[in-house]
């Protein structure tokens, strides 16, 4: 018979937490959990020097009650099947696990088969990006989107609060648009910044100097864009309706990078439309 659901404070003090996958997110999660003195085990296919490292998945599953899956999306389903195999082979009846997926784009309903083994399946996604594989905790006030049952939601909420984060509880149907919003807002920005640096480099003859020249402009642009009260955070020829300059830029780019000239043209049209409709 299944025992009572885990009580969160008891989880930290009496239960081990397993983190499976030591990529950039896994490193940050482990550092954050250790900062609040959680008892953490880690497992990765690549051997690691972390003191909580276990060389086999079974060793981690034997001890950990709460599992954070921080592997790439393509590997999540197979990892869940490996967990299923372990649980199905247990000799004695035990509590299941709380399995927490840390991906923004993976539908946890694909792992419903784990519920047969008394597992709770939930989702906790930090709305943050990580540049290095270092044991550096999440920045304070990091937003975390969660999807969980009524039993597990208080657990995740308390955890995020102890990590000094912010909680955004999502329904199953809200995840697609949430993830799309994150991709549109952040994933393409580095592409445009690097393209600007590339265009500047023949003038400065130095990549770092190009970044230094563009940094104030980029910082101010991001600041304006994040000001929700500013309906028109745009600058440049499209914001002024200067179609002649837009055409000249487009033609110049077309001779050198036809695909990017199309992107430039589409983005300019979108800004023009927003300005005209304001």
């Amino acid at each position: 018979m299944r025992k009572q659901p885990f009580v969160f404070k008891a989880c930290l003090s009496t239960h081990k937490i397993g983190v499976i996958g030591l990529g950039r997110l896994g490193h940050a999660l482990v550092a954050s959990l250790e900062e609040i003195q959680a008892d953490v085990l880690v497992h990765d296919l690549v051997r690691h020097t972390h003191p909580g490292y276990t060389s086999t998945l079974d060793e981690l599953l034997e001890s950990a009650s709460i599992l954070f899956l921080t592997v790439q999306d393509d590997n999540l389903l197979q990892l869940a099947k490996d967990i299923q195999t372990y649980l199905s082979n247990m000799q004695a009846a035990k509590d299941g696990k709380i399995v927490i997926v840390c991906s923004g784009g993976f539908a946890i309903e694909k792992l419903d088969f784990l519920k047969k083994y008394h597992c709770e399946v939930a989702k906790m996604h930090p709305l943050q990006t990580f540049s290095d594989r270092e044991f550096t905790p999440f920045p304070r006030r990091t937003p975390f989107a969660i999807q969980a049952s009524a039993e597990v939601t208080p657990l995740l909420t308390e955890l995020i609060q102890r990590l000094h984060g912010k909680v955004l509880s999502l329904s199953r149907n809200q995840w697609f648009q949430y993830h799309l919003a994150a991709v549109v807002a952040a994933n393409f920005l580095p592409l445009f910044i690097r393209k600007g640096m590339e265009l500047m480099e023949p003038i400065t003859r130095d990549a770092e100097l190009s970044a230094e020249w563009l940094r104030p402009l980029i910082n101010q642009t991001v600041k304006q864009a994040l000001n929700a009260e500013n309906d028109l955070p745009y600058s440049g020829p499209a914001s002024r309706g200067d179609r002649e300059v837009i055409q000249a830029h487009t033609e110049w780019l077309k001779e050198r990078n036809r695909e990017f000239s199309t992107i430039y043209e589409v983005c300019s049209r979108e800004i023009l439309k927003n300005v005209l409709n304001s």
Side-chain angles (χ1 to χ4, degrees):
M1 179 180 294
R2 188 178 179 185
K3 297 180 182 179
Q4 293 298 313
F6 294 120
V7 177
F8 180 75
K9 291 183 179 179
C11 282
L12 284 185
S13 61
T14 64
H15 291 274
K16 290 185 183 294
I17 297 176
V19 177
I20 306 172
L22 275 178
R24 291 176 294 182
L25 171 57
H27 274 77
L29 178 60
V30 169
S32 296
L33 291 170
E34 290 182 333
E35 191 174 53
I36 59 174
Q37 300 182 331
D39 193 358
V40 183
L41 293 175
V42 300
H43 175 72
D44 192 88
L45 293 178
V46 178
R47 188 166 186 83
H48 203 278
T49 57
H50 185 277
Y53 176 80
T54 63
S55 58
T56 67
L57 179 61
D58 283 5
E59 185 181 351
L60 181 144
L61 295 175
E62 177 66 28
S63 301
S65 307
I66 302 173
L67 310 176
F68 283 94
L69 312 188
T70 60
V71 299
Q72 293 183 353
D73 288 14
D74 291 347
N75 298 324
L76 277 168
L77 188 57
Q78 183 57 54
L79 174 57
K81 289 179 179 178
D82 292 341
I83 295 171
Q84 177 190 30
T85 299
Y86 170 83
L87 294 174
S88 65
N89 290 335
M90 288 195 310
Q91 297 297 317
K94 296 182 179 180
D95 276 331
K97 311 291 185 182
I98 298 179
V99 179
I100 303 169
V101 175
C102 294
S103 164
F106 187 87
I108 59 173
E109 291 74 24
K110 295 179 181 179
L111 307 188
D112 278 352
F113 58 85
L114 289 175
K115 294 179 180 179
K116 176 182 176 182
Y117 303 93
H118 307 296
C119 289
E120 292 277 0
V121 181
K123 194 168 179 176
M124 187 183 90
H125 178 253
L127 196 57
Q128 183 59 268
T129 187
F130 309 94
S131 57
D132 299 305
R133 296 191 179 199
E134 296 180 353
F135 289 110
T136 303
F138 296 120
R140 294 197 172 206
R141 298 188 60 77
T142 293
F144 289 84
I146 66 171
Q147 178 186 348
S149 67
E151 289 180 345
V152 178
T153 293
L155 182 153
L156 292 182
T157 299
E158 180 67 16
L159 170 59
I160 293 166
Q161 289 173 347
R162 293 195 63 180
L163 297 179
H164 305 286
K166 298 187 291 184
V167 181
L168 176 62
S169 185
L170 300 181
S171 69
R172 172 181 178 178
N173 295 330
Q174 291 175 316
W175 276 96
F176 178 83
Q177 193 161 344
Y178 157 85
H179 190 238
L180 177 60
V183 169
V184 171
N187 291 178
F188 301 124
L189 186 58
L191 171 67
F192 283 98
I193 291 174
R194 288 301 175 91
K195 182 58 68 173
M197 290 171 58
E198 180 183 315
L199 291 168
M200 183 69 78
E201 193 167 344
I203 301 170
T204 63
R205 301 186 183 279
D206 182 84
E208 290 186 7
L209 187 57
S210 296
E212 184 179 334
W213 280 26
L214 291 169
R215 185 174 290 110
L217 173 64
I218 294 167
N219 288 342
Q220 183 62 25
T221 300
V222 171
K223 182 179 178 180
Q224 290 179 191
L226 290 174
N227 179 4
E229 295 181 357
N230 186 353
D231 294 332
L232 295 173
Y234 315 108
S235 60
S239 70
R240 302 188 298 270
D242 194 336
R243 298 177 187 274
E244 184 177 344
V245 171
I246 293 172
Q247 183 63 28
H249 287 173
T250 302
E251 292 299 326
W252 189 91
L253 286 168
K254 192 176 294 183
E255 294 177 2
R256 295 158 177 81
N257 187 330
R258 180 173 291 273
E259 289 183 348
F260 196 78
S261 73
T262 301
I263 294 172
Y264 178 94
E265 193 171 14
V266 169
C267 291
S268 295
R269 282 203 305 266
E270 189 68 18
I271 293 172
L272 276 167
K273 182 176 68 176
N274 290 342
V275 171
L276 291 173
N277 291 338
S278 65

